[in-house]
Amino acid sequence: MTEEPKKLRFLTIEQAAEELNVSHSQIRALLKTGELRAIQIGGRGQWRIGRQDIEDYVTEAYRRTAERIAAGELIDEGEPDGE
């Protein structure tokens, strides 16, 4: 029986950015606006984001998106193909 790797309770800004597939500056912006919860720890005030806070942010983002779709406010223009 193989053990699953232990998931960290808290993520750094860089780890959270990787988890959400965004830039670290986008994570900092979400922290600044309060859309994403985090704590500062240590003498240097390092940011740590709880895994549950990431999940809560994603859940809220899905809810907001569904509301915008229902209200007809969201138009799917697709993602650029990079061609």
Side-chain angles (χ1 to χ4, degrees), residues 11 13 20 22-23 32 35 39 42 46 48 50 54 59-60 65 73-74 79:
L11 304 176
I13 286 176
L20 293 174
V22 298
S23 69
K32 187 175 182 178
E35 290 182 69
I39 58 172
Q46 302 256 331
R48 293 295 181 263
I54 296 280
T59 299
E60 179 62 16
T65 301
E73 297 173 0
L74 198 62
E79 291 190 19

Side-chain angles (χ1 to χ4, degrees), residues 10-67:
F10 292 100
L11 304 176
T12 64
I13 286 176
E14 291 75 19
Q15 290 167 327
E18 186 174 325
E19 187 82 13
L20 293 174
N21 197 29
V22 298
S23 69
H24 68 276
S25 59
Q26 180 64 38
I27 296 294
R28 288 185 186 280
L30 292 170
L31 296 177
K32 187 175 182 178
T33 63
E35 290 182 69
L36 180 60
R37 286 176 19 129
I39 58 172
Q40 281 189 296
I41 60 169
R44 297 186 315 199
Q46 302 256 331
W47 285 103
R48 293 295 181 263
I49 302 140
R51 265 196 194 280
Q52 187 59 52
D53 293 315
I54 296 280
E55 293 302 320
D56 292 346
Y57 172 79
V58 170
T59 299
E60 179 62 16
Y62 274 122
R63 187 196 61 73
R64 284 192 314 265
T65 301
E67 282 182 0

